[in-house]
Amino acid sequence: MSTSFTPIQGGGSLVLAWRTAQKKILIVGGGNVAAQRIVSVRTADAHVILVCPAQGLIDETRYRIENKEVTWIDRNFVDSDLDGMDMVLTAMDDHEESARIGHLCRSKRIPVNVADVPPLCDFYFMSQHREGPLQIAVSTNGQGPKLANMIRTKIAATLPKDIGKTIEKMGLLRAKVREWEPAIENSGKRMGWVIRCCETWGLETMSKLNELKGKEEENLYKVLEEYFKKNEVPPTSLVFPSSPEIALIGAGPGDPELITVKAKRCLLEADLVVSDRLIPQQVLDLVQGELRIARKTTGRSDEAQEELLEWCLEGLKKNQRVVRLKIGDPLLFGRGGEEILWFRERGYEPVMVPGISSAFSAPMAAMIPVTFRGVSDQVIITTGRGTKGSMPDLPEYGSTRMLVVLMAVGRAVELRQMLLERDYPLTTPICWVENANCPEERVVLGILETMASVVVDNNIKAPAVLIVGKSVDVLTRDNVKIV
Ligand SMILES: C[S@@+](CC[C@H](N)C(=O)[O-])C[C@H]1O[C@@H](n2cnc3c(N)ncnc32)[C@H](O)[C@@H]1O
């Protein structure tokens, strides 16, 4: 019978948060492992009894004893030490004695961890990240403690700053909700409302609760109470009012790993993201707030551009943090400069976040160094389609000059003709790079003579970059001399 119930995978451990406050935990041994165990169990407020002769102590365990963080018994383990213990941890070099203690605990049904002997452990210690009430524990089921440690570090690095404080604030909100609606039969309503708030606001936004103090915080709770009573979730912009901000952000050429850390943060935090059409889905998936994408524009690009900017302005007037997301670098052939002036005229100075431009990343994707000592020492970046569809003015041929042409696909025939008129030899190497840095990337090589026909033969489509000049095949040619 096929069901939607969680399939049982088996072979795991039961992952619990064990409350050991004031429980008696015996640690046998006084070295490094014992020292680590002391930190773990004292973090959980357990009462620790450490059995170890003085000569077996290291500086840290001695410090714990002197600081009265553990009760110390200065001798080797004796069986009666197990009396009244809630848990036992062995951390000693004598493996035989360690295993004997493990078996003894088993016979007395005292949960035990025998360091380095997984079959004798009733439980394992997990790699932990601690921040206030937040505890993240990673288990590899005893198979890879170092890996658990690395995974834990990676997870912790993705969390918003001061997440522990945010959790405390949300804990406070839960307590308030119980005050507003104490009836036990309404626990479902209480829980449901808090869950919907968390989902609507998102982790990044919720971390703004940390900044609220005194009167501001009291006022917020008043607003939240009103919404709770109506069983509605207050909109994010009401709970976390922000000053309006417009950021012009470069999305890079397409690979989400090629956007800057700052661009990623802006995307995660934005209330509204207004994006160009070329931006790949993987980058758009980072957006947490509202996302609006430019319409198809054949022949109406000015109207579409005006519409995009008006969307941004609407957001700004609602005090939102708005991101204008642009492919590659915002100030290279994307009307970025005009947009800055447009926003300035309306009283907003954009924050600029650069992006990796296709002008450089597409040649690199095709392993074309745009400069190479002794081969090319200049790069001209130009467009195949100027303002209102005009032809660009391409430079004269220079044997050490590279040309990178954006928006050139539909103009291959005219551009080829113009290059010939500018004395480019028919044998000049050329390359088309379509969808650079995206999964669908294609690289098509040729020479000036075939520059237009390869577009048709290979069905090359925008977005693509055209690269012209001797560096195109510098890394594949046999007779290149390193000068
Ligand atoms: C309006 S321009 C914007 C350029 C962008 N600001 C930049 O820095 O890459 C659009 C042109 O960029 C180029 N382009 C953008 N992304 C590309 C990609 N992933 N692969 C190849 N060319 C790309 C194409 O030439 C496309 O026609």
Side-chain angles (χ1 to χ4, degrees):
M1 187 176 67
S2 83
T3 71
S4 56
F5 303 131
T6 310
I8 307 287
Q9 283 188 35
S13 300
L14 179 62
V15 180
L16 299 168
W18 196 332
R19 301 188 64 203
T20 56
Q22 304 317 319
K23 295 260 162 60
K24 283 185 168 178
I25 298 186
L26 178 74
I27 299 182
V28 189
N32 286 317
V33 177
Q36 284 170 23
R37 300 293 190 241
I38 291 172
V39 174
S40 300
V41 296
R42 287 294 294 131
T43 300
D45 296 334
H47 178 73
V48 177
I49 298 104
L50 185 77
V51 179
C52 181
Q55 66 271 22
L57 299 176
I58 60 167
D59 285 351
E60 186 173 344
T61 39
R62 200 168 295 119
Y63 165 82
R64 301 288 173 204
I65 294 165
E66 280 161 14
N67 221 21
K68 306 215 177 336
E69 290 170 336
V70 301
T71 305
W72 177 41
I73 304 177
D74 178 9
R75 58 159 167 76
N76 283 322
F77 171 86
V78 294
D79 293 2
S80 60
D81 286 338
L82 297 184
D83 295 347
M85 290 302 150
D86 295 298
M87 182 189 281
V88 173
L89 315 173
T90 74
M92 51 210 287
D93 293 333
D94 182 345
H95 290 286
E96 242 171 68
E97 175 66 348
S98 194
R100 192 187 71 79
I101 298 172
H103 285 294
L104 200 58
C105 289
R106 286 266 166 98
S107 70
K108 291 177 177 287
R109 296 188 160 262
I110 303 171
V112 64
N113 176 286
V114 181
D116 270 346
V117 191
L120 273 183
C121 289
D122 290 320
F123 54 90
Y124 302 125
F125 281 82
M126 293 165 75
S127 177
Q128 266 211 48
H129 172 79
R130 178 83 197 272
E131 207 183 322
L134 174 69
Q135 283 178 279
I136 300 175
V138 176
S139 165
T140 51
N141 226 2
Q143 297 199 29
K146 180 62 197 167
L147 265 142
N149 198 290
M150 289 160 78
I151 294 167
R152 185 257 299 157
T153 309
K154 196 157 185 174
I155 296 171
T158 64
L159 295 171
K161 194 166 157 276
D162 292 333
I163 184 75
K165 258 199 209 157
T166 310
I167 294 171
E168 277 167 14
K169 293 277 182 185
M170 285 309 285
L172 207 67
L173 177 61
R174 288 185 61 196
K176 289 263 178 210
V177 172
R178 270 194 299 273
E179 272 172 34
W180 300 334
E181 183 63 87
I184 196 133
E185 61 274 20
N186 283 337
S187 74
K189 176 185 167 193
R190 286 196 300 261
M191 226 182 332
W193 185 80
V194 174
I195 289 173
R196 279 186 290 132
C197 287
C198 292
E199 287 171 352
T200 310
W201 299 337
L203 271 188
E204 300 285 335
T205 311
M206 269 190 279
S207 62
K208 289 189 140 193
L209 285 173
N210 301 349
E211 293 156 25
L212 296 178
K213 284 190 194 79
K215 249 288 130 313
E216 257 179 342
E217 198 168 8
E218 273 171 39
N219 290 342
L220 172 67
Y221 285 124
K222 280 191 196 132
V223 174
L224 291 176
E225 186 175 359
E226 280 168 31
Y227 274 85
F228 171 72
K229 298 232 155 109
K230 292 187 277 179
N231 201 12
E232 282 173 21
V233 173
T236 312
S237 52
L238 190 95
V239 187
F240 307 97
S242 51
S243 24
E245 181 188 273
I246 173 78
L248 259 63
I249 291 186
D255 179 343
E257 291 199 336
L258 291 182
I259 65 174
T260 63
V261 175
K262 185 164 181 178
K264 185 171 177 184
R265 183 174 56 71
C266 289
L267 284 180
L268 289 170
E269 289 178 358
D271 302 305
L272 170 67
V273 174
V274 176
S275 167
D276 281 347
R277 268 195 324 113
L278 280 178
I279 314 278
Q281 191 57 43
Q282 302 98 290
V283 175
L284 297 179
D285 285 344
L286 295 170
V287 176
Q288 312 270 305
E290 187 188 353
L291 172 66
R292 290 185 174 195
I293 301 176
R295 293 205 215 151
K296 273 211 162 151
T297 59
T298 347
R300 292 190 309 116
S301 59
D302 287 347
E303 269 172 55
Q305 174 73 3
E306 190 64 27
E307 184 179 55
L308 285 184
L309 297 177
E310 287 295 341
W311 286 343
C312 294
L313 193 61
E314 265 173 44
L316 290 169
K317 285 186 176 158
K318 285 195 244 164
N319 274 348
Q320 291 183 325
R321 281 159 311 164
V322 181
V323 162
R324 175 75 186 93
L325 188 61
K326 304 178 71 63
I327 194 78
D329 187 89
L331 293 188
L332 188 80
F333 295 131
R335 300 196 185 195
E338 290 168 43
E339 293 186 9
I340 295 176
L341 292 177
W342 194 94
F343 287 115
R344 259 187 204 163
E345 273 169 24
R346 284 150 188 85
Y348 300 97
E349 184 62 31
V351 171
M352 300 302 298
V353 183
I356 294 178
S357 174
S358 61
F360 288 118
S361 72
M364 188 181 284
M367 276 293 177
I368 297 174
V370 283
T371 66
F372 193 102
R373 267 199 311 156
V375 177
S376 53
D377 54 13
Q378 285 182 17
V379 195
I380 291 191
I381 298 166
T382 181
T383 173
R385 179 174 286 275
T387 315
K388 309 240 181 268
S390 61
M391 273 305 282
D393 185 13
L394 298 182
E396 290 296 322
Y397 177 68
S399 66
T400 63
R401 178 177 296 153
M402 293 297 292
L403 207 57
V404 176
V405 194
L406 277 62
M407 294 175 275
V409 176
R411 283 287 171 82
V413 174
E414 295 90 332
L415 291 170
R416 175 182 175 277
Q417 184 55 36
M418 190 181 270
L419 290 173
L420 288 174
E421 285 161 17
R422 304 279 193 268
D423 292 334
Y424 275 72
L426 275 173
T427 52
T428 311
I430 66 106
C431 178
W432 291 96
V433 188
E434 183 190 88
N435 282 311
N437 306 109
C438 301
E440 324 77 296
E441 175 183 291
R442 279 201 304 159
V443 176
V444 178
L445 291 157
I447 53 174
L448 181 56
E449 187 174 11
T450 59
M451 188 179 104
S453 57
V454 291
V455 171
V456 180
D457 296 347
N458 294 280
N459 193 22
I460 294 170
K461 294 260 183 303
V465 164
L466 168 67
I467 307 139
V468 181
K470 284 192 182 161
S471 274
V472 164
D473 59 3
V474 72
L475 295 183
T476 47
R477 231 182 297 151
D478 288 339
N479 57 351
V480 175
K481 285 199 214 86
I482 309 286
V483 289

